[in-house]
Amino acid sequence: MSKSEFVYITYIETSAEKLWQALTDGDFTERYWFGHRATSDWKTGSPYKFAKQGTPTIEGKVLLSDPPRKLAYSWDSCSPEAKRERTSRVTFDLEPRGKVIKLTVTHDELDEDGKTLRDISGGWPLVIASLKSLLETGRGLPDEAKSQAA
């Protein structure tokens, strides 16, 4: 199995602290991640999970927590189709650039032909666009954006 990675970069007009909160606060994640709620204390070594309507969707361990600069966690999909894949890793790098934050999302250690890589290749751009919209306008993308992107 070879390693694959997905990298997505965007610029968001917000503060690093507010972006960090949006990445780690379940009330925020539900608003831009189409109902997926994050729960953790976000300390290095702690478990985390995302759940939609109480059903776990993603879980793992916080690998690095350096607020408000860098967050990394392991990624284990709870979907039966992805259960046989290796655990991957997501890293968020937040770099202040004047009045904006450069956000780099790197999802690596993926199976080259796996379901997770296919899912996140369309999923991350949609989730990050919704995050950007929420922080800049107060509204995440509407749910129909997710169904139209599929």
Side-chain angles (χ1 to χ4, degrees):
M1 293 185 180
S2 66
K3 293 183 180 179
S4 291
E5 75 174 6
F6 178 87
V7 178
Y8 189 86
I9 299 170
T10 193
Y11 296 82
I12 303 174
E13 189 172 350
T14 190
S15 67
E17 293 77 17
K18 185 125 181 170
L19 179 52
W20 182 270
Q21 182 183 8
L23 292 171
T24 60
D25 182 309
D27 290 337
F28 260 100
T29 63
E30 273 186 320
R31 292 176 61 199
Y32 69 83
W33 206 319
F34 307 97
H36 292 263
R37 183 176 188 82
T39 54
S40 179
D41 65 11
W42 301 106
K43 295 178 181 170
T44 301
S46 293
Y48 83 91
K49 76 174 179 179
F50 281 88
K52 186 169 183 174
Q53 298 176 339
T55 302
T57 54
I58 304 156
E59 57 191 16
K61 183 192 289 189
V62 178
L63 303 172
L64 176 68
S65 182
D66 181 17
R69 290 177 284 283
K70 189 170 196 152
L71 175 66
Y73 48 76
S74 62
W75 176 286
D76 281 312
S77 174
C78 297
S79 78
E81 301 86 25
K83 272 297 189 191
R84 286 178 259 144
E85 294 182 25
R86 78 169 112 205
T87 299
S88 56
R89 175 180 58 195
V90 179
T91 304
F92 299 91
D93 288 296
L94 290 68
E95 300 174 48
R97 299 283 175 96
K99 293 183 179 183
V100 301
I101 303 298
K102 177 184 178 186
L103 174 63
T104 304
V105 180
T106 305
H107 196 145
D108 59 4
E109 299 182 7
L110 292 153
D111 285 345
E112 190 172 316
D113 296 318
K115 178 175 176 20
T116 301
L117 178 58
R118 287 190 308 274
D119 288 351
I120 61 106
S121 293
W124 276 125
L126 190 60
V127 168
I128 299 306
S130 188
L131 168 63
K132 178 177 171 63
S133 179
L134 176 62
L135 289 171
E136 292 180 347
T137 72
R139 296 179 318 278
L141 296 179
D143 285 343
E144 55 266 16
K146 183 178 178 189
S147 61
Q148 291 172 359

